[in-house]
Amino acid sequence: MQRTAEAVLIPVGALCAALLLFGVFMLLVGKDPLQVYALIYKGGFGSSFAWQSTLARAAPMTLTALCAAIPAQAGLVIIGAEGALLLGGLAAAAVGSSVAGAPLLVQVCMALAAMVVGGAWVMLAGALRHLRGVNETISSLLLNYIAIALFNHLVEGPLRDPASLNKPSTLPIGEVNMLGNFPGLDVHLGLAFGVVFCLLCWVLVRHTSVGFALRIVGGNVRAARLAGLPVGLLLLGACGLGGAAAGLAGMVEVAAVHGAANASLVAGYGYAGVLVSFIARHNPLAVLPVALLLGGIAASGGQLQRHLDLPDASVLVLQGIAFMTILAAESLRGKLRWFTPAEA
Amino acid sequence: MAVDAAQALGLWGVPLAVFGGAIRASTPFIFVSLGECLTEKSGRINLGLEGTLVMGAMGGYGVSYLTGNPWLGVLAAGLAGCLLGLLHGVVCSLPRVNDIAVGIGLMLLGTGVAFFLGKPFVQPRAPILPALHLGAWSSIAQVRAALEVNVLFVIGALLAVLLHWGFVNTRVGLVVRMVGDSADAARAMGYSVGRVRILSTAAGGFLAGVGGSFLSLYYPGSWNEGLSSGQGLMAVALVIFARWSPLRCFFAALLFGGMGALGPALQSVGVTSGYYLFNAAPYVLTLVIMAASCSPRRTLAGAPGELSVTR
Amino acid sequence: MSKQDVNGDCRASATKPSAVPNTARREIVRALAVAGVGSALGLPFMPTARAEGKLVVGVIYVGPKDDYGYNQAQAQAAAALKKLPGVTVVEEEKVPETMDVQKAMGSMIEQDGASLIFPTSYGYFDPHMLKMAEKYPKVRFAHCGGLWSADKHPKNTGSYFGYIDECQFLNGIAAGHATKSRKIGFIAAKAIPQVLRNINAFTLGAQSVHPDITCQVIFTGDWAMPVKEAEATNSLVDQGVDVVTMHVDSPKVVVETAARRGIYGCGYHANQSALAPKAYLTGAEWNWTTPYTAHVTAAMSGAPMNNFMRGGLKEGYVKTSAYGPAVPDVARKMADGVKGKMMKDDFVIFKGPLKDNTGKVVIPSGTSRVQTDVVLEQMNYLVAGVVGKV
């Protein structure tokens, strides 16, 4: 009970502190903090429209965050979600535009292709780590840049739809194969993919022997070897699963938003996912509220720009302050005396 | 005009461009990676130097514009970086706080504050740093241009040597390394691990800030929000690539800067297909070298024992 | 959502205070405070009713609105709108071409009451703007680019674009007179028709001065890559190029680097002469105030939307920067002469016989492709004399 209370109250308190600090910053640049708060509330959370906007922005991050969170269980710091998303999206678009059949079948094929390609791409970093001892953080970062180059080369070269003149794209997957919205809402079904994937990963990590083994590897590789665990397999599997999640995010972007793969997919969702994962302490369940928070701040950024003439960077400043305070507040864990049963 | 009598260089332009690019584009990589090297030697990783770099670029340009003196700008950039480093160092000294995560937060904060406060400096032109004309001996204009070297590049090179020497031969260097290799040993010797790490991170931030000022005050030499395309993040990665040796950091930065010039240079001599792939050359090359030179058997030589990423 | 709605929401939830726990009550109190403050300050939240003679215009940019280039050119027009009576402008910058832009448009409409939207980036059109146009049929969407077509797209959408290749041709004339090496350069982001048309017009303009001039192209691969653009400029100078122009989002770096290397530059998107007063020859600039004002006037009077707006120098959609000191009189006279003909629709840039740089005839002898010819919008070649490959 105490732990749950702490797990909620500490981040919420930190968030309030962050808002206070941001208010001071706003005061320093000559804006009224109360007005700023009102606009943040209005833009991100103040109405059903605002909530839908927040949810839609959070959707891709729920999936890309897993690309960092799952390998992190095994002690790997992977920042390769961006590359996996792009190549996954490209694979999905290629399959979606060439497979004929019922929309559901096409969508399943797209999702599978995206997950396989995304998974394989991140597995490359895992394999380099396991077989060659190459640091996975740097290799996954390098793989992002390589993936962007490959993506652009293919989209503007061999896979280009000749009809896409000034916006080079792959062939469209077709209107019938698009993922729709939740009934009555303006939020696409990709969000459900993210939520389900997060829940599944949480069960895997916390409640199965595979998850337990992963965490042993993450805690101490030598101990894991001594215990006879297949370390290499676990590392590769974690990378593959994470990459599959990011690849699926690419498929969702293609199938629910863009309808084809093009340079608009390079939007930084992969890097945002890394951020979400770290703030969520790599807990697949905590990924959901953190992604929501990030989506909400992003949604309110428009209000700040439009009504206070603040630059787009206000959002970055607020996110930066919020994450610094949330992280710093972690040190308070177990120290909040007034929650101990004796005093309650 | 500088090129009036000069003949086009033809294919020789490619190696010259790579050489010139190495000198022109490498300086931010040198400073950021040396700063990060110092921080990591003390056992902490600061992934937020991208934010520091951008902050330094903005601060340096802004101060240069306001005071008319680009060197004051460089100093201001360093101090701004130092502050961000201090913030990282202090927050990470709290119990249970993950240094990589704080670095990511800092990346956002630094970039955000820089973009926010940098709006008024996008339009005006600030005085920029002068170049040393090391190529004055040559009659070829292109060679003269390639050898236009900024003082910061020279300082960066000297700094790499100095850091290399300092880690081995000075008391301070030994203390930093000891703190990075074994916090317990350092504590047993009576050193404050936290303080050493905070100071190392702040000093690393200073260097990264200076690296940022090079971007805005020399090459490309103006301030705008697209100025850094991830150089700070890449420079942090280069430290691991260089296996925590300041000298190797310097050469890695040169290699990386030079390879970045390859794509445009090839196009300028008529090799025009697949430019996306040529532009990815620096990343592919780095990956290949790492895969070839690493080994799963031994831990990375030179890796600080306390570093979370090298466990 | 209006001020009243905020208050209304809060009142509704505040009617059952006893049932809610302490923390929730605090939430409500805060929300009430927020809403109260909002009304007390009289936030410029949006018109509660769409009164006659009032119009809220939303403008969305893909990059920073002060980039010395593409977005700045749009923002200048938005700034001009702000001076019109009864017009309120709400702006949002750095909006990526993803779900974000759909939500930004939605928010401008739902939360700010905007009824005319300018999504200014090319990639906003399909699917983002089309989707929003379907959802909000009463709102007008004016997109920058040439994509609208009557048989495919809804009537509440439209596109405006300018024939800026006219100005690039004039850039080419200035460059043709300035170059001594007879080699000029073009730094381009991507090999797409719009960009290729500019490269070709620039080259043809220079060749109208000296037919043997060649133009070296470098593609950087993306719209804003400052270091790569600087490297590209340096590479071109090393190859003997002595005048450059560009088609990237922010031409600042190229113009400044060119000036530092002692060569000339022609501008693009906006006026960059202040960055390099001596090295700047002239520039191709947008003048978006013309289509912006037309759309606003129509929206305010309730006149039907002009879905397809195009224009060049003559219609005032584009303009040229004033000549720099390095442009000699003979060049000014020639460029002004051509400009005068363009203003009278008396000049054709792309006319046969025209060969591409692989030797293929792309426009046969006797054919003239005037600016409005849609074939030009599918340009996929570089004319003879351009060094580079699509």
Side-chain angles (χ1 to χ4, degrees):
Chain A
M1 187 60 216
Q2 184 200 343
R3 284 188 56 192
T4 326
E6 266 192 1
V8 174
L9 277 167
I10 290 182
V12 170
L15 214 54
C16 294
L19 281 174
L20 211 64
L21 282 172
F22 186 64
V24 173
F25 181 72
M26 286 292 109
L27 210 58
L28 288 178
V29 298
K31 304 284 176 189
D32 179 356
L34 292 176
Q35 204 174 351
V36 169
Y37 296 149
L39 287 170
I40 292 176
Y41 175 74
K42 180 188 174 202
F45 311 98
S47 61
S48 119
F49 174 84
W51 270 104
Q52 291 178 43
S53 166
T54 297
L55 285 169
R57 287 169 201 259
M61 291 186 282
T62 55
L63 283 169
T64 52
L66 291 175
C67 187
I70 303 302
Q73 310 296 327
L76 299 178
V77 180
I78 296 271
I79 47 182
E82 187 82 5
L85 180 148
L86 290 177
L87 296 181
L90 189 62
V95 167
S97 59
S98 52
V99 172
L104 189 66
L105 177 76
V106 176
Q107 285 163 358
V108 169
C109 288
M110 285 172 72
L112 285 178
M115 288 166 75
V116 166
V117 170
W121 190 252
V122 178
M123 261 202 232
L124 221 54
L128 280 170
R129 159 76 187 233
H130 185 63
L131 301 176
R132 298 295 314 159
V134 177
N135 177 282
E136 77 285 355
T137 313
I138 166 166
S139 65
S140 59
L141 175 66
L142 292 167
L143 284 171
N144 279 346
Y145 290 107
I146 297 171
I148 294 176
L150 214 56
F151 178 87
N152 279 324
H153 180 76
L154 292 172
V155 168
E156 292 181 26
L159 293 180
R160 181 172 182 170
D161 172 9
S164 63
L165 293 174
N166 282 315
K167 188 180 179 185
S169 307
T170 61
L171 288 166
I173 62 167
E175 195 60 43
V176 289
N177 294 325
M178 296 288 286
L179 282 178
N181 285 343
F182 285 102
L185 288 181
D186 204 12
V187 180
H188 62 72
L189 288 168
L191 182 66
F193 288 31
V195 173
V196 170
F197 217 126
C198 280
L199 288 173
L200 287 179
C201 285
W202 182 73
V203 171
L204 175 82
V205 169
R206 292 295 155 102
H207 298 286
T208 66
S209 57
V210 176
F212 187 61
L214 268 182
R215 281 184 287 150
I216 294 178
V217 175
N220 189 331
V221 176
R222 226 163 282 151
R225 285 221 171 84
L226 286 176
L229 290 174
V231 173
L233 212 61
L234 284 166
L235 287 181
L236 283 181
C239 287
L241 188 58
L248 188 62
M251 177 267 179
V252 168
E253 282 302 295
V254 167
V257 183
H258 298 282
N262 54 48
S264 302
L265 286 184
V266 192
Y269 287 134
Y271 291 108
V274 176
L275 197 77
V276 169
S277 177
F278 268 96
I279 303 305
R281 312 202 103 207
H282 308 307
N283 178 341
L285 215 51
V287 159
L288 295 173
V290 176
L292 208 61
L293 174 69
L294 210 65
I297 295 180
S300 55
Q303 288 290 333
L304 295 181
Q305 285 192 46
R306 280 178 257 145
H307 296 297
L308 294 181
D309 207 21
L310 284 166
D312 162 71
S314 329
V315 166
L316 284 177
V317 175
L318 178 54
Q319 285 175 351
I321 294 177
F323 289 160
M324 294 301 273
T325 54
I326 290 175
L327 290 167
E330 284 298 331
S331 61
L332 291 176
R333 235 169 234 238
K335 290 193 176 162
L336 296 181
R337 282 296 166 86
W338 55 90
F339 285 118
T340 54
E343 290 186 26
Chain B
M1 297 270 80
V3 285
D4 48 2
Q7 292 298 303
L9 283 180
L11 285 176
W12 282 105
V14 177
L16 185 74
V18 171
F19 174 73
I23 291 175
R24 282 189 297 261
S26 64
T27 308
F29 291 113
I30 294 175
F31 275 88
V32 177
S33 62
L34 287 179
E36 181 67 13
C37 186
L38 177 59
T39 306
E40 291 191 14
K41 279 280 190 192
S42 79
R44 242 191 224 146
I45 185 162
N46 180 358
L47 212 56
L49 289 188
E50 172 73 21
T52 314
L53 180 93
V54 176
M55 191 69 201
M58 188 284 292
Y61 197 76
V63 169
S64 169
Y65 171 68
L66 295 174
T67 65
N69 185 339
W71 291 105
L72 279 180
V74 174
L75 185 69
L79 290 177
C82 190
L83 275 180
L84 287 178
L86 215 54
L87 179 65
H88 183 276
V90 170
V91 173
C92 287
S93 295
L94 299 169
R96 304 170 57 98
V97 175
N98 177 296
D99 51 353
I100 298 182
V102 173
I104 295 176
L106 199 68
M107 197 186 310
L108 281 182
L109 187 65
T111 327
V113 173
F115 287 178
F116 195 107
L117 300 179
K119 278 286 174 199
F121 303 121
V122 177
Q123 301 287 331
R125 295 192 71 207
I128 65 168
L129 295 168
L132 301 175
H133 304 282
L134 297 186
W137 50 270
S138 172
S139 60
I140 305 173
Q142 288 91 331
V143 174
R144 284 204 300 275
L147 284 173
E148 298 244 305
V149 174
N150 185 269
V151 185
L152 283 179
F153 175 78
V154 180
I155 295 176
L158 293 177
L159 201 65
V161 178
L162 186 76
L163 274 176
H164 178 78
W165 176 82
F167 278 135
V168 181
N169 295 304
T170 65
R171 191 188 163 84
V172 178
L174 284 172
V175 170
V176 169
R177 276 170 53 206
M178 182 165 60
V179 168
D181 277 330
S182 167
D184 292 337
R187 269 190 215 103
M189 298 277 289
Y191 291 105
S192 159
V193 172
R195 193 176 306 158
V196 171
R197 287 186 179 161
I198 291 175
L199 290 177
S200 301
T201 315
F206 185 92
L207 292 182
V210 170
S213 73
F214 179 89
L215 280 178
S216 61
L217 289 176
Y218 187 69
Y219 191 74
S222 61
W223 162 248
N224 63 66
E225 292 176 19
L227 189 58
S228 165
S229 34
Q231 282 103 325
L233 197 58
M234 203 50 230
V236 172
L238 284 183
V239 179
I240 307 175
F241 176 64
R243 286 187 244 148
W244 297 274
S245 151
L247 286 182
R248 278 197 293 260
C249 280
F250 175 73
F251 288 115
L254 277 187
L255 176 79
F256 211 77
M259 290 309 286
L262 185 66
L266 280 175
Q267 286 193 59
S268 76
V269 298
V271 182
T272 45
S273 32
Y275 47 85
Y276 283 114
L277 303 182
F278 287 124
N279 288 349
Y283 310 105
V284 176
L285 192 72
T286 311
L287 196 61
V288 168
I289 294 179
M290 282 186 81
S293 66
C294 286
S295 156
R297 301 270 172 269
R298 60 190 157 82
T299 49
L300 294 166
E306 294 274 318
L307 217 55
S308 51
V309 289
T310 55
R311 245 182 305 107
Chain C
M1 159 140 178
S2 71
K3 247 180 328 199
Q4 283 96 325
D5 291 340
V6 174
N7 289 329
D9 276 358
C10 297
R11 226 175 286 129
S13 35
T15 46
K16 39 182 168 106
S18 53
V20 287
N22 227 350
T23 44
R25 189 180 303 147
R26 216 170 297 138
E27 283 294 317
I28 291 165
V29 171
R30 211 185 52 186
L32 264 178
V34 162
V37 166
S39 17
L41 290 173
L43 286 186
F45 272 2
M46 72 281 8
T48 41
R50 232 158 270 170
E52 279 302 310
K54 298 258 184 220
L55 181 73
V56 180
V57 180
V59 189
I60 304 176
Y61 314 97
V62 74
K65 59 185 177 188
D66 47 4
D67 61 355
Y68 246 114
Y70 185 83
N71 297 291
Q72 183 165 328
Q74 303 277 357
Q76 278 165 356
L81 291 189
K82 287 179 189 165
K83 296 194 188 107
L84 300 177
V87 175
T88 313
V89 178
V90 289
E91 299 169 275
E92 203 168 327
E93 62 171 358
K94 289 173 98 170
V95 180
E97 295 163 354
T98 60
M99 186 48 87
D100 288 22
V101 70
Q102 296 184 22
K103 292 299 171 189
M105 287 187 240
S107 169
M108 285 173 165
I109 296 163
E110 299 246 355
Q111 300 193 310
D112 301 345
S115 51
L116 170 62
I117 307 271
F118 289 96
T120 63
S121 179
Y122 196 87
Y124 289 159
F125 188 85
D126 186 15
H128 311 296
M129 186 188 91
L130 293 178
K131 219 176 236 177
M132 288 294 111
E134 196 182 323
K135 191 171 174 207
Y136 301 105
K138 286 189 183 145
V139 176
R140 298 175 180 216
F141 296 83
H143 177 256
C144 182
L147 287 163
W148 192 86
S149 82
D151 48 340
K152 275 194 279 184
H153 302 123
K155 289 277 177 274
N156 62 327
T157 62
S159 44
Y160 59 92
F161 205 62
Y163 299 122
I164 201 157
D165 51 330
E166 294 176 356
C167 303
Q168 280 291 14
F169 189 90
L170 299 174
N171 272 354
I173 292 178
H177 281 96
T179 178
K180 289 183 181 132
S181 64
R182 303 274 162 99
K183 287 173 101 175
I184 58 178
F186 199 112
I187 294 165
K190 285 178 184 276
I192 57 173
Q194 271 177 22
V195 175
L196 299 178
R197 187 166 171 179
N198 278 335
I199 298 172
N200 290 336
F202 180 63
T203 310
L204 291 173
Q207 287 173 344
S208 72
V209 184
H210 296 292
D212 58 341
I213 285 178
T214 59
C215 178
Q216 177 72 55
V217 179
I218 293 186
F219 293 104
T220 60
D222 221 328
W223 296 105
M225 314 202 84
V227 175
K228 193 134 274 158
E229 288 154 16
E231 278 306 320
T233 315
N234 275 312
S235 292
L236 287 174
V237 179
D238 285 347
Q239 290 300 326
V241 163
D242 57 2
V243 187
V244 287
T245 189
M246 73 302 283
H247 189 155
V248 297
D249 269 1
S250 176
K252 191 178 182 187
V253 165
V254 176
V255 169
E256 287 183 332
T257 310
R260 267 176 223 145
R261 284 295 300 266
I263 68 159
Y264 297 117
C266 297
Y268 191 61
H269 288 316
N271 189 338
Q272 289 98 22
S273 63
L275 298 170
K278 285 185 196 138
Y280 192 80
L281 297 176
T282 180
E285 297 177 37
W286 301 108
N287 186 24
W288 293 133
T289 314
T290 311
Y292 271 55
T293 315
H295 272 302
V296 167
T297 317
M300 289 187 91
S301 70
M305 183 168 182
N306 186 349
N307 304 99
F308 194 78
M309 298 175 75
R310 281 306 176 81
L313 283 162
K314 181 182 161 212
E315 293 82 3
Y317 281 49
V318 295
K319 59 188 178 190
T320 55
S321 316
Y323 296 115
V327 184
D329 276 340
V330 49
R332 290 173 195 228
K333 219 167 272 167
M334 180 173 170
D336 284 341
V338 173
K339 193 174 170 183
K341 281 186 180 171
M342 285 174 172
M343 302 284 264
K344 284 184 282 181
D345 274 339
D346 194 20
F347 190 88
V348 180
I349 299 175
F350 296 99
K351 56 176 186 269
L354 188 66
K355 280 187 184 168
D356 72 5
N357 62 0
T358 62
K360 203 177 96 192
V361 175
V362 283
I363 301 179
S365 190
T367 306
S368 281
R369 299 244 178 253
V370 294
Q371 289 296 62
T372 47
D373 196 330
V374 285
V375 173
L376 291 178
E377 293 177 17
Q378 291 150 18
M379 197 171 275
N380 59 357
Y381 53 84
L382 291 164
V383 297
V386 180
V387 185
K389 211 175 105 190
V390 181

